[in-house]
Amino acid sequence: MGVTFEKKRKIFHLFTKNFSYYIHVNKYNYLIHLYSGKYLNDISKERVSERYMERYAFLNDEKKETMDEDYYFSFIASQFEVAPFGKGDKRNAPFIIEGEDNIPITNFLFDSYEIIKGPYKKERIRFPYVRFQENDVTTLIITLKDEYKKVYLKLFYEISEKFDCLVRYSKIINKSNENIKVKKLSSFELDLPSSGYKILALKGTWGNDTEVEIIPLNHSLTKISDNHGARGFYYNPAIALISNEATLDNGEVYGISSLYSGDFSYEFKVDEIDQTRIIGGFNDETFEYLLKEKEEISTFQTLFVYSNKGINGMSQLMHEVIRKRIMPQTKNVQKDYILINSWEGYYFDFDTDKIISLIDEAKKCDINLVVIDDGWFKNRNSDTTSLGDWEVDNLKIDLKKVIDHAKSLKMDIGLWIEPEMISPSSYLFKEHPEFALIPENYKHPTLLRHQLVLDLTNNEVITNIFRKMIDIFDEYDISYVKWDFNRYLTESYSPSLPVERKKETNYRFMLGVYDLLYRFTNIYPHILLETCASGGGRFDLGMLFFSPQIWGSDETDIALRASIQYAKNIFYPLRSIGAHVSNRKIGSIQDKACLAFFGTFGYELDITKLNEEDKKQIKFFNSLYKDFHHVVEEGKYYSIFSPFSSNYAAWNVVSNNKKECLVYFMNYKKEQTKSRFLKIKGLSPNKFYFNSLTNDIYKGSFYMNVGLNLSCPMDPYFSALFVLKEVDDIRAKLYRKTKQVDGGKRDKLI
Ligand code: GLA
């Protein structure tokens, strides 16, 4: 049972083995946040509210004679679970609702609660969600009622002992007989009693999709958000709140990640007495919602993990729950595909013969999936046309022939598609100009990559596009889909929504995207889906709910790629990051394969033009994939060096039984003589491991405390993947003996 309610003191305790979260219902029926952090079996000794000095308490209009703990309640100093708006608390508020009187004062007070075993399933949520099973979680639902209007707020807390995490979301229900404007809607508020935190955020742009940014929190309002409608790169909805003393492996870190691909926001405010408030939910810049009588609206879910083992501890908790309870568990995830994608090899310039040759060469190199990227549908010979007209260009490619050929070699075929888009020169646009997301009477809409976005707030549009997709995927035996999204929303006030709902467009658009993805994955669960947005944009848990992998970045040059992957690794399981070996300038095929190995692994170049040596390398890495990629897929991740604060990118992944470990290392700037040791993490200290770098055998404790000696002059972009593999004691002893006898000659025992 991960939730208790102590009736006498009205205290809720949500807990896992390592984490506690306490909420108190005070005598004015405010929900007060008492504590969140390392597991604490009782909060009573702390005399929860006593620390609020009289100085703040006097601001209350309550009588001083009630010297109980609630006497110290104060709008200025209390930590709320749901802060009011328009009253004494002038910090940022999580919910703002406005009635027909145009007054937005909002004051939600405790009404009732419910504790249930398992996740809350009474309604089908329209957003992606954490797929908790019955035994994974206990759910606490607290209902509050606004003091002024008959409007209810439900707070949902799913606490999972099994995955050591908490999932939060909320819902507003209008039971009044007036129309309500929801001006701010949050998934959560988290008030912490101190300051001294910094934020680790991921930001990016096309080609440098993901960079780590460390933002110290101060007394001004800090907002990490996105307003592009369907998230591009900009800020990622995964962040970490890091206490000042925390490091990679020690100290307190909260990981927070939203299951949403649209406009989100996290607000941070350190108040006048140095407490920290965090609020996360829809970005109120682009969100306003009309809630009519009897209507309700829910938020997306936000996942929280708490670690006192530093950033790496946080990453490991995140990776585990994402892998096991967010990413789809259907057949398509289990397939061991090594793919080759046509994009960087051919762009739009291919035909049946070229693809057949690619298949033949791929077969020789043990590649088993060939993906035909952009350019397979009618008239699409550049990025200026045809989005929306999803019909095979039979003059360019005989898709049936290509598939039959691949199948005869026991290989599969994948296709690229960009379903949410429409080209102004397409037949679809000629027939249905109203399908484009352009407000009536607003001419000259913004074109980005020569294209417009479809109005997915309109069910008719979703159905039309989905029918076209069915026509393709029912007719052709396709095993993989790359689902792209190459521009963001502009002028996003839907022509199909009534005037009073225009500002709901971005929110409703995202629901439309999820609807389309639900329909597709329901009908084609066997198709392996990889989402993509101009490279590695829209990389979030909303998308990972549908597609077990997301293309990491259009940047495939190892120099930047290593830092992009490093940044993504912090929050996302390595196996979810689409990574290919390409033909870019920096690094050899081997260098690129070392890095791609720590993602989904595949290729994106014209292998028919490679020399024999490069093909040998490809075959070697493909055999390595069969032997060791399971470590990347399931192992525990440890960052060693950050390219954002050192000259290296380095990490290691250890299999769950600790018998195998894969290490990645990359050097950035040329370094001449340099003492350099790479300390590996997470091994069994007393077991012996053979390492493929020096072909030596040492104990785990040696690798972890002394490290691997990389003290040699190093060129820029020197990079390596090496394997540590446990060997038994006898083999280790034998190895020592051999070394003595032959004077230290290196011996391969594995
Ligand atoms: C986007 C993707 C690329 C490729 C092109 C095709 O830019 O990120 O990988 O699929 O679209 O147009």
Side-chain angles (χ1 to χ4, degrees):
M1 192 67 179
V3 182
T4 57
F5 180 60
E6 199 193 308
K7 288 215 164 90
K8 204 161 148 242
R9 292 185 307 156
K10 294 192 183 161
I11 290 179
F12 293 100
H13 183 200
L14 296 92
F15 57 91
T16 68
K17 251 201 326 256
N18 304 307
F19 173 64
S20 278
Y21 192 101
Y22 281 99
I23 305 166
H24 172 46
V25 184
N26 83 359
K27 80 171 188 199
Y28 312 109
N29 281 326
Y30 282 102
L31 278 191
I32 300 295
H33 181 73
L34 295 184
Y35 174 83
S36 65
K38 198 172 159 88
Y39 178 79
L40 205 60
N41 73 347
D42 192 7
I43 196 96
S44 63
K45 291 192 199 77
E46 274 62 28
R47 291 297 309 276
V48 177
S49 303
E50 209 166 60
R51 59 191 196 84
Y52 299 132
M53 301 84 82
E54 224 170 287
R55 174 140 178 252
Y56 288 103
F58 87 94
L59 290 169
N60 292 325
D61 52 6
E62 295 302 313
K63 298 158 222 100
K64 278 201 178 185
E65 54 270 25
T66 51
M67 288 294 282
D68 61 10
E69 65 184 33
D70 289 337
Y71 165 73
Y72 296 95
F73 165 71
S74 150
F75 281 123
I76 295 181
S78 290
Q79 292 156 44
F80 289 93
E81 201 63 17
V82 180
F85 179 77
K87 294 186 74 77
D89 184 342
K90 291 292 177 189
R91 293 167 284 184
N92 43 338
F95 300 97
I96 304 178
I97 56 171
E98 190 176 279
E100 281 168 2
D101 61 1
N102 270 356
I103 294 178
I105 299 173
T106 307
N107 197 25
F108 282 113
L109 300 172
F110 179 77
D111 178 75
S112 58
Y113 77 95
E114 194 185 343
I115 296 173
I116 56 172
K117 180 102 200 74
Y120 184 73
K121 278 189 285 200
K122 278 198 191 130
E123 70 199 271
R124 182 162 181 272
I125 352 183
R126 302 166 75 195
F127 295 107
Y129 56 92
V130 183
R131 303 170 208 262
F132 283 131
Q133 296 172 1
E134 209 59 19
N135 291 330
D136 294 341
V137 282
T138 306
T139 304
L140 167 66
I141 306 160
I142 302 182
T143 305
L144 300 94
K145 184 179 172 299
D146 182 62
E147 187 187 353
Y148 307 106
K149 299 170 203 75
K150 211 168 166 213
V151 175
Y152 289 81
L153 167 67
K154 277 184 188 293
L155 303 178
F156 296 85
Y157 300 83
E158 294 181 346
I159 181 94
S160 172
E161 289 185 270
K162 185 160 180 184
F163 291 97
D164 203 358
C165 67
L166 173 67
V167 169
R168 294 183 60 180
Y169 61 104
S170 66
K171 176 158 112 176
I172 289 190
I173 306 153
N174 183 4
K175 291 193 181 168
S176 74
N177 44 21
E178 60 173 321
N179 287 344
I180 299 292
K181 265 190 217 146
V182 181
K183 305 198 103 177
K184 190 163 179 188
L185 182 57
S186 299
S187 296
F188 74 92
E189 169 176 350
L190 178 62
D191 280 9
L192 298 170
S194 54
S195 59
Y197 293 98
K198 54 195 179 216
I199 301 298
L200 185 159
L202 304 182
K203 68 149 189 72
T205 180
W206 181 82
N208 191 5
D209 310 45
T210 326
E211 287 185 285
V212 169
E213 189 172 72
I214 304 289
I215 306 164
L217 291 184
N218 55 30
H219 294 83
S220 58
L221 183 70
T222 303
K223 188 168 165 179
I224 291 178
S225 63
D226 194 67
N227 64 2
H228 289 75
R231 218 188 54 74
F233 310 94
Y234 321 105
Y235 274 116
N236 192 286
I239 53 150
L241 183 72
I242 304 176
S243 63
N244 269 345
E245 55 295 343
T247 62
L248 270 182
D249 299 296
N250 292 298
E252 290 199 308
V253 178
Y254 290 87
I256 304 176
S257 193
S258 290
L259 282 81
Y260 193 53
S261 318
D263 294 348
F264 70 92
S265 115
Y266 296 114
E267 294 173 4
F268 305 86
K269 176 125 183 91
V270 180
D271 66 20
E272 59 195 78
I273 60 166
D274 286 356
Q275 307 180 105
T276 305
R277 173 168 294 171
I278 308 156
I279 284 172
F282 292 110
N283 185 351
D284 54 357
E285 265 175 71
T286 54
F287 177 87
E288 190 178 294
Y289 194 87
L290 175 66
L291 202 62
K292 294 196 173 159
E293 283 173 53
K294 311 286 171 290
E295 284 183 349
E296 53 184 55
I297 179 168
S298 300
T299 67
F300 51 83
Q301 296 191 338
T302 300
L303 168 69
F304 284 80
V305 299
Y306 165 81
S307 149
N308 53 15
K309 295 194 185 109
I311 296 173
N312 279 332
M314 183 280 293
S315 303
Q316 289 160 7
L317 289 173
M318 277 277 176
H319 290 184
E320 185 70 357
V321 61
I322 295 170
R323 258 188 310 229
K324 299 216 168 116
R325 292 293 185 268
I326 295 183
M327 285 158 61
Q329 304 293 314
T330 44
K331 269 199 285 180
N332 60 15
V333 192
Q334 324 300 348
K335 284 228 172 109
D336 268 341
Y337 277 130
I338 300 179
L339 70 76
I340 184 155
N341 177 300
S342 65
W343 183 241
E344 290 202 23
Y346 305 116
Y347 296 104
F348 296 99
D349 181 20
F350 58 81
D351 55 23
T352 309
D353 289 346
K354 275 192 183 173
I355 298 293
I356 297 256
S357 316
L358 183 67
I359 293 172
D360 290 340
E361 205 53 56
K363 177 71 189 173
K364 287 187 209 148
C365 294
D366 300 331
I367 292 169
N368 52 5
L369 172 68
V370 173
V371 177
I372 307 171
D373 205 284
D374 200 351
W376 56 267
F377 48 103
K378 273 193 183 149
N379 302 325
R380 180 76 171 177
N381 293 313
S382 74
D383 61 8
T384 57
T385 60
S386 310
L387 299 170
D389 301 340
W390 301 109
E391 264 177 66
V392 177
D393 186 345
N394 292 320
L395 296 176
K396 184 172 182 179
I397 182 133
D398 183 343
L399 193 54
K400 276 247 155 70
K401 183 171 171 190
V402 163
I403 294 172
D404 287 348
H405 186 68
K407 295 285 172 193
S408 73
L409 298 173
K410 296 205 163 29
M411 293 168 75
D412 287 326
I413 292 293
L415 275 191
W416 176 95
I417 190 163
E418 197 178 355
E420 294 110 305
M421 298 295 163
I422 177 165
S423 303
S425 57
S426 64
Y427 292 112
L428 181 65
F429 189 80
K430 276 186 198 106
E431 223 179 292
H432 289 291
E434 77 287 3
F435 277 12
L437 187 55
I438 314 169
E440 314 88 315
N441 308 324
Y442 281 75
K443 296 211 172 72
H444 312 300
T446 309
L447 285 175
L448 294 166
R449 211 197 191 204
H450 318 286
Q451 64 202 50
L452 294 166
V453 182
L454 281 169
D455 179 10
L456 294 192
T457 70
N458 181 351
N459 198 38
E460 194 193 332
V461 177
I462 300 177
T463 305
N464 179 296
I465 280 299
F466 189 55
R467 214 173 283 135
K468 289 190 172 152
M469 292 170 79
I470 289 183
D471 286 348
I472 295 287
F473 295 103
D474 275 2
E475 182 167 356
Y476 297 96
D477 188 357
I478 298 298
S479 307
Y480 160 107
V481 162
K482 179 173 170 190
W483 181 307
D484 213 336
F485 185 92
N486 279 318
R487 62 157 290 174
Y488 54 84
L489 308 193
T490 53
E491 294 98 8
S492 53
Y493 300 95
S494 160
S496 63
L497 286 174
V499 175
E500 67 279 13
R501 292 205 180 273
K502 295 279 184 212
K503 289 182 184 163
E504 295 167 17
T505 303
N506 285 20
Y507 156 82
R508 288 177 179 273
F509 177 85
M510 213 52 242
L511 288 179
V513 172
Y514 289 145
D515 185 356
L516 197 54
L517 278 157
Y518 265 118
R519 293 186 199 198
F520 185 81
T521 48
N522 271 340
I523 296 202
Y524 305 106
H526 62 283
I527 292 185
L528 172 60
L529 192 61
E530 175 158 350
T531 49
C532 170
S534 310
R538 207 157 77 166
F539 206 111
D540 55 61
L541 299 185
M543 283 296 138
L544 274 186
F545 177 83
F546 297 100
S547 60
Q549 54 199 62
I550 305 177
W551 177 226
S553 169
D554 278 349
E555 178 57 68
T556 50
D557 209 321
I558 51 165
L560 257 184
R561 247 294 173 152
S563 69
I564 291 169
Q565 285 183 215
Y566 176 91
K568 286 196 157 102
N569 292 349
I570 298 174
F571 295 100
Y572 299 102
L574 278 58
R575 70 188 258 187
S576 69
I577 303 170
H580 299 165
V581 177
S582 76
N583 223 352
R584 298 288 178 94
K585 280 196 298 283
I586 297 174
S588 60
I589 291 283
Q590 182 182 348
D591 290 330
K592 288 168 192 156
C594 290
L595 182 57
F597 202 84
F598 287 92
T600 54
F601 195 60
Y603 298 86
E604 183 140 354
L605 72 175
D606 185 356
I607 41 165
T608 61
K609 297 214 172 85
L610 292 185
N611 61 36
E612 285 313 307
E613 186 45 41
D614 282 343
K615 285 186 200 159
K616 237 165 89 189
Q617 284 294 340
I618 290 183
K619 282 187 89 159
F620 169 74
F621 273 94
N622 292 349
S623 69
L624 204 68
Y625 178 91
K626 293 200 177 89
D627 294 340
F628 288 110
H629 202 257
H630 63 270
V631 182
V632 173
E633 287 167 22
E634 288 143 28
K636 246 189 191 159
Y637 171 80
Y638 297 86
S639 152
I640 306 177
F641 284 120
S642 163
F644 299 96
S645 54
S646 78
N647 192 31
Y648 319 115
W651 59 77
N652 72 265
V653 198
V654 184
S655 64
N656 290 332
N657 60 11
K658 299 196 178 184
K659 285 181 189 293
E660 290 157 328
C661 168
L662 300 185
V663 185
Y664 181 75
F665 176 86
M666 167 180 255
N667 176 53
Y668 275 89
K669 203 168 69 206
K670 179 168 181 162
E671 286 181 334
Q672 295 293 6
T673 316
K674 180 100 180 166
S675 167
R676 204 186 287 113
F677 286 85
L678 193 63
K679 292 185 185 175
I680 311 302
K681 301 180 184 180
L683 304 176
S684 304
N686 294 318
K687 300 282 184 190
F688 289 95
Y689 293 86
F690 165 86
N691 83 70
S692 68
L693 182 72
T694 62
N695 293 345
D696 280 314
I697 292 178
Y698 302 113
K699 269 193 169 177
S701 56
F702 177 89
Y703 291 110
M704 293 196 288
N705 296 307
V706 178
L708 278 169
N709 191 350
L710 295 175
S711 307
C712 55
M714 226 177 240
D715 282 333
Y717 311 127
F718 165 84
S719 59
L721 177 172
F722 45 93
V723 180
L724 301 184
K725 196 161 177 198
E726 192 190 307
V727 292
D728 56 35
D729 288 8
I730 310 257
R731 286 181 118 194
K733 277 185 198 136
L734 235 159
Y735 176 79
R736 290 245 165 83
K737 244 187 186 159
T738 324
K739 264 196 131 178
Q740 277 158 19
V741 173
D742 70 6
K745 208 178 96 203
R746 284 182 176 163
D747 190 359
K748 279 195 184 160
L749 283 174
I750 291 180

